[in-house]
C-alpha cells in the first residue's frame, strides 16, 4: 500500500515564521482581498453607467479618507499578488527553485510591491490626474 | 518513492477530479492579468477625480472599453478558479463545499456581467 509511507501534513503552529512561508500565505490572503475588492471596481463602473449623480457619489466615497485607505491597501495587495504571481509563474516554468534563489526572488517581490505601490500613488497625486 | 496511490495514477486525475485544465486556466488568466492590471493602474491613476463627462469620454473609446472588458473577464475567471482552490482546502463537508462554490461562482458571474454591461453603457454613451 502506497499510503503507509505518506508524510503527515505540517503542523504550522510549531514552525517559526520564515520569509518563504509568510510570502506564501500572503499570496492567498491578497488573492482573497482582491476578490473582495472587485466589489468596489464593479460598484464604481456601475455608478458611472448610472449617470453623473451616482458617479459623483461614488467618486466622493472613494475619495474620502476611508476610501483612500482601503484603496491604498488594495493597491499594495494588487502589486504584491502581481509580483509574487510572476514569481509563481517562473517556478511553474522550472526556474528559481533553488533555496537561495527563492529567498532572493522573495525579497525582490517585497521591494517591488512596495515600490510600485508608492510610485502609483505618487503618480495618482502628482502625475496625469487631478 | 511516489506519493501517489496506484489507483490515483491509473485514473490520472488528482483530488480535484479534473486533471490539469484548472491549473492551466489559472496560469493563463494570470499571464493575461499582468499587462491588464498594469494598464489598469496606470490608466486609473491618470484619471483620479474625473467627473462623469471625463469618465464617459475615457471609457467611451472602443480601446479603453475593450481593455476593461478583458480585465473584467480575466479577473473574475482567475478569481473564481483561485477561490475554488481555497474553498477546497478548508471545507471538508462535501455539501457545504458545493453550496459555497455555487454561491461564489454565481457572484463572480453576476459581478462580471454588471461590469461588462456598465462598460458597454459608457461605450455607447461616449
Ligand atoms: C495581477 C496579476 C495576477 C497574477 C500574475 C496572478 C497570479 C496568480 C497565480 C500564479 C496564482 C496561483 C498561486 C498558486 O499556485 O498557489 C494565483 C492565485 C490566486 N489569485 Fe491571482 N494573480 C493576479 C491577479 C489576481 C486578481 C486581480 C485576483 C482577484 C480578483 C486574484 C485572485 C487570486 C486568488 C483568490 C488566488 C488563489 C490563492 C490560493 O490558492 O492560495 N489574482 N494568482
Amino acid at each position: 500500500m502506497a499510503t503507509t509511507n505518506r508524510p503527515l501534513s505540517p503542523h504550522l503552529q510549531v514552525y517559526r515564521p520564515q520569509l518563504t512561508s509568510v510570502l506564501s500565505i500572503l499570496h492567498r490572503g491578497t488573492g482573497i482581498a482582491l476578490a473582495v475588492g472587485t466589489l468596489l471596481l464593479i460598484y464604481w463602473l456601475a455608478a458611472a453607467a448610472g449617470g453623473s449623480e451616482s458617479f459623483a457619489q461614488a467618486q466622493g466615497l472613494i475619495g474620502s479618507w476611508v476610501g483612500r485607505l482601503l484603496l491604498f491597501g488594495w493597491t499594495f495587495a494588487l502589486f504584491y499578488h502581481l509580483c509574487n504571481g510572476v514569481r509563481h509563474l517562473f517556478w511553474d516554468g522550472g526556474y528559481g527553485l533553488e533555496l537561495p534563489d527563492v529567498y532572493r526572488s522573495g525579497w525582490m517581490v517585497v521591494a517591488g510591491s512596495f515600490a510600485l505601490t508608492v510610485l502609483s500613488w505618487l503618480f495618482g497625486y502628482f502625475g496625469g490626474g487631478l | 518513492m511516489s506519493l501517489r496511490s496506484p489507483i490515483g495514477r491509473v485514473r490520472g486525475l488528482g483530488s480535484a477530479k479534473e486533471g490539469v485544465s484548472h491549473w492551466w486556466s489559472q496560469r493563463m488568466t494570470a499571464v493575461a492579468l499582468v499587462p491588464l492590471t498594469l494598464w489598469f493602474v496606470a490608466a486609473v491613476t491618470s484619471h483620479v477625480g474625473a467627473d462623469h463627462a471625463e469618465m464617459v469620454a475615457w471609457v467611451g473609446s472602443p480601446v479603453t472599453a475593450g481593455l476593461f472588458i478583458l480585465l473584467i473577464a480575466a479577473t473574475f475567471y482567475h478569481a473564481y478558479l483561485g477561490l475554488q482552490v481555497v474553498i477546497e482546502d478548508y471545507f471538508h463537508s462535501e455539501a457545504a463545499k458545493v453550496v459555497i462554490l455555487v454561491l461564489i461562482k454565481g457572484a463572480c458571474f453576476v459581478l462580471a456581467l454588471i461590469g461588462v454591461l456598465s462598460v458597454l453603457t459608457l461605450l455607447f454613451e461616449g
Side-chain angles (χ1 to χ4, degrees):
Chain A
M1 277 290 283
T3 44
T4 49
N5 277 332
R6 286 183 175 177
L8 290 171
S9 52
H11 293 279
L12 288 177
Q13 313 85 297
V14 305
Y15 283 102
R16 187 167 57 85
Q18 315 166 42
L19 181 72
T20 44
S21 62
V22 171
L23 295 190
S24 167
I25 193 61
L26 256 184
H27 194 78
R28 177 157 285 192
T30 52
I32 296 168
L34 289 170
V36 177
T38 59
L39 287 170
L40 184 73
L41 171 68
I42 299 306
Y43 160 67
W44 182 67
L45 288 172
S52 52
E53 230 165 88
S54 57
F55 188 61
Q57 196 183 1
Q59 290 292 70
L61 260 170
I62 294 168
S64 71
W65 73 264
V66 181
R68 281 177 207 222
L69 201 66
L70 276 173
L71 219 51
F72 189 81
W74 273 319
T75 313
F76 179 76
L78 181 63
F79 280 127
Y80 174 78
H81 191 94
L82 191 159
C83 293
N84 200 56
V86 171
R87 184 167 171 244
H88 264 283
L89 295 175
F90 273 102
W91 286 338
D92 294 337
Y95 301 102
L97 290 163
E98 297 297 323
L99 202 51
D101 296 336
V102 170
Y103 272 87
R104 198 174 309 124
S105 60
W107 286 117
M108 279 164 64
V109 162
V110 172
S113 25
F114 275 107
L116 286 167
T117 304
V118 170
L119 274 179
S120 58
W121 276 73
L122 286 176
F123 187 71
Y125 272 102
F126 304 112
L130 288 181
Chain B
M1 177 189 73
S2 167
L3 296 177
R4 304 197 61 188
S5 65
I7 186 74
R9 195 168 336 178
V10 165
R11 287 188 182 135
L13 299 171
S15 59
K17 321 240 178 347
E18 54 165 341
V20 80
S21 90
H22 178 286
W23 187 91
W24 186 245
S25 307
Q26 178 106 51
R27 313 296 128 167
M28 286 303 99
T29 50
V31 171
L33 278 168
V34 173
L36 286 171
T37 43
L38 289 176
W39 163 77
F40 175 70
V41 173
V44 167
T45 48
S46 7
H47 289 85
V48 174
D51 63 18
H52 187 253
E54 288 163 337
M55 183 74 175
V56 171
W58 170 44
V59 184
S61 101
V63 173
T64 311
L67 286 169
F68 260 111
I69 289 171
L70 288 176
L71 175 81
I72 291 167
T75 295
F76 282 103
Y77 191 20
H78 178 90
Y80 175 70
L81 293 171
L83 292 173
Q84 186 185 348
V85 176
V86 177
I87 301 299
E88 284 167 355
D89 279 353
Y90 300 133
F91 285 80
H92 301 303
S93 135
E94 202 60 35
K97 200 188 293 186
V98 169
V99 170
I100 293 177
L101 285 177
V102 168
L103 289 177
I104 293 182
K105 194 175 226 170
C108 284
F109 186 77
V110 169
L111 286 172
L113 188 64
I114 296 173
V116 169
L117 292 178
S118 303
V119 170
L120 290 179
T121 306
L122 293 167
L123 174 65
F124 295 129
E125 236 174 280

